[in-house]
Amino acid sequence: FGLGGLRQIARAELFARLGETRRAALALDAIDERRLMPSGFVDVGWPMFARSYLTRGQLWERLGERERAAAAYGRFLALW
């Protein structure tokens, strides 16, 4: 996941705080889950990645995208 993933989460949080909800949600959706492949080391970004699905759900819900919100909440619950 590394710094690139953490930067993407920070960027999305900034967009959300600036009121750019759709841009924030799309930034989180752009995170490539395949980058979290197990490499024998603990990835300290994993909890933030899992939590990003909760944030995605909240953002999509604000935008009235109920199906996308439900999918994000479901993925959060599966990962958490």
Side-chain angles (χ1 to χ4, degrees):
F1 188 64
L3 290 176
L6 295 175
R7 275 192 219 111
Q8 190 72 2
I9 290 173
R11 188 175 298 119
E13 287 182 9
L14 178 63
F15 290 147
R17 289 176 190 226
L18 292 173
E20 297 186 40
T21 307
R22 180 166 300 280
R23 196 168 177 191
L26 292 172
L28 290 173
D29 280 353
I31 296 172
D32 187 359
E33 190 167 337
R34 294 173 296 179
R35 294 180 62 191
L36 291 161
M37 295 283 225
S39 61
F41 298 100
V42 174
D43 188 339
V44 296
W46 177 255
M48 291 191 71
F49 172 73
R51 188 179 166 278
S52 78
Y53 278 98
L54 175 61
T55 304
R56 294 174 209 213
Q58 293 166 338
L59 293 168
W60 288 123
E61 191 173 3
R62 259 188 251 157
L63 291 165
E65 303 256 1
R66 299 182 93 185
E67 287 183 24
R68 287 176 108 167
Y73 286 136
R75 186 71 178 131
F76 168 72
L77 291 173
L79 294 172
W80 203 253

